[in-house]
Amino acid sequence: MTFDLLSVSRRYRGQARDLHREHVNPKWMDAMGLIGFDKEYVRALGCALWDSEGNRYLDMIGGYATCNVGRNHPDVCKALADFVTSQSASMVCFDAPLLAGVLARQLKGRIGRDLDRVFFTNSGTEGIEAAIKFARCATGRPTILHESGSFHGLSTGALAINGCSSFREGFGPLCAHSRNFPRGDLSALEAHLATRDVAAVVMEPIQGKGVFLHPHGMIAEASQLCAKYGTLLVIDEVQTGLGRTGSFLAIDQEGDVRPHMVVLSKGLSGGQVPVGAVLCRADVWGRVFSRLDRAIVHSSTFHMNGLAMAAGLATLAIIDEERLCERATLAGARLRAGIDSIATQSPFISAVRQRGLMVGIEFAAPESLRLRLAWKVTQALDPNLFVQAVTIPLMRDDRILTQVAGHAIPVLKLTPPLVINDEEIDLFTAALARAVRALEDSGGPAWTALSGIARNAAERRWSALRSRLGSEPLPTGTHRDG
Ligand SMILES: Cc1ncc(COP(=O)(O)O)c(C=O)c1O
């Protein structure tokens, strides 16, 4: 019998959630079920998804900002198909894969900044891990500095510079030599740098968790401080890069920033194949790969795999041909105007933060006593809950995917594919207006849905605790890395 992928998909159609519940991650299935996101998607194109019942959805998450060129862009699909059907010699390992050389050259051509070496990875996290290692090796210093609220991935190295404590809980002790400074605080940064034990400062140009932008000029000043104290600057463009904010890199809009490394991933392969890249100054690279016997002192088996390289090359061509950086600026402005007009009328929206197609809508306690009480009750039940009063109706009533911007952060986040058109933007803003207006009815469906979820979540937590207490002793102390 010959293997046929399509018949496997047909045979198991409708069973995805059960399979995951049984074999993969039942907790994730519970979470998706609670907020009504437990769909089985079977087709995707551009910003659209279709479920197994033929319903169409508008994707405002964009695969965590991986689908910049739109889902299943025909040129990415063709590049992948061409690569597979051409019987290319992939994964030889003891060779110089052609497409990796071409992609490295093309990335350097777009980024410049004397970043002359490209190290490919399979993810953003791996890029950050590489940057941490390269920085320590090149400087001989131990400490890696990061901003509060940062997110750079979840492997132990990347987690050590993760500014969201919820991700670290239970996984310590992590690297002792990481420190953080308050987001945007240049004097705190300088105080750390002055100790001269800091190998690198790792920064996101715009923090993904909460969509926090830096004051204009701050990153350029941080860059100068790094130069003054001999510290390397690592710019994490995993989420902001590849046109997302209206320029190829977000730091292209930040003035004179001179990074020693730039980390890319997510949008580099058109949302199809794991990929990442660290662009690195030649002198830094030379101190890591310093001798013949260290030629692959940092590496990973799949890091230059042909599928990722082919998808990467197609993606760069699409970004140029379809002028997606410009598109992100224009579409972002339209989206922003729509959201601003909703925000000015809503007692719940306290701020809108946006650059290009990276948008955060922040919610806060309203002034009216009646609504403030409803807000406080929800916050007390669970600080992660409130924004779900917007994501749930958007999904339930309008089939639109949106997400909360981070743990206990009352921010709705949007990172749609950069190919989103005006009609889709207007459809989204009309739906958002309805969902936000419904919040003003404190006895209305949004709040009823919320209290239902809160009760449900609390019951689950309680029954989990009860069964744990019944079956095994609770640990006497849990380590929580600072
Ligand atoms: C800014 C940033 N850095 C690093 C990462 C980690 O990337 P990955 O999930 O591909 O490992 C992410 C993922 O969301 C990110 O947003």
Side-chain angles (χ1 to χ4, degrees), residues 93-296:
C93 296
F94 278 77
D95 72 335
L98 176 66
L99 297 184
V102 182
L103 183 57
R105 183 189 171 127
Q106 295 217 1
L107 284 170
K108 281 173 59 179
R110 282 163 177 82
I111 291 173
R113 298 171 188 268
D114 299 326
L115 297 170
D116 279 332
R117 291 278 178 271
V118 183
F119 179 82
F120 287 107
T121 70
N122 301 293
S123 68
T125 303
E126 275 186 35
I128 293 294
E129 288 290 342
I132 292 172
K133 285 179 69 179
F134 293 0
R136 284 197 173 138
C137 186
T139 61
R141 296 177 178 183
T143 303
I144 307 291
L145 208 56
H146 64 98
E147 280 188 297
S148 56
S150 61
F151 186 92
H152 300 291
L154 297 177
S155 61
T156 52
L159 196 54
I161 56 167
N162 191 313
C164 312
S165 59
S166 58
F167 284 110
R168 302 157 74 120
E169 188 178 331
F171 297 112
L174 298 169
C175 163
H177 293 292
S178 68
R179 299 201 299 262
N180 72 72
F181 65 101
R183 179 180 49 241
D185 185 339
L186 284 166
S187 25
L189 170 64
E190 182 158 17
H192 281 289
L193 295 181
T195 61
R196 294 191 185 266
D197 70 339
V198 182
V201 177
V202 184
M203 290 178 73
E204 294 161 86
I206 300 173
Q207 286 192 340
K209 297 283 169 222
V211 189
F212 288 104
L213 285 80
H214 290 91
H216 191 71
M218 187 266 160
I219 302 177
E221 280 190 52
S223 168
Q224 279 172 20
L225 286 176
C226 284
K228 180 173 164 190
Y229 292 101
T231 291
L232 306 188
L233 177 63
V234 176
I235 295 292
D236 180 345
E237 293 261 6
V238 166
Q239 189 164 154
T240 49
L242 284 300
R244 167 71 39 204
T245 68
S247 43
F248 190 75
L249 297 182
I251 51 165
D252 295 343
Q253 300 173 57
E254 292 292 342
D256 187 16
V257 181
R258 299 180 188 197
H260 299 81
M261 286 176 256
V262 166
V263 184
L264 301 174
S265 182
K266 289 197 188 277
L268 183 53
S269 73
Q272 298 271 21
V273 194
V275 69
V278 183
L279 283 93
C280 181
R281 288 210 193 153
D283 56 340
V284 172
W285 189 93
R287 274 177 249 157
V288 181
F289 299 93
S290 52
R291 303 185 304 261
L292 262 190
D293 63 311
R294 285 176 66 89
I296 52 168

Side-chain angles (χ1 to χ4, degrees), residues 325-337 354 356-357 416-422 425:
C325 296
E326 269 176 53
R327 180 69 204 140
T329 303
L330 293 173
R334 188 180 184 99
L335 187 55
R336 175 68 187 255
Q354 165 264 343
L357 282 169
L418 309 185
V419 296
I420 188 167
N421 63 36
D422 291 353
I425 291 172

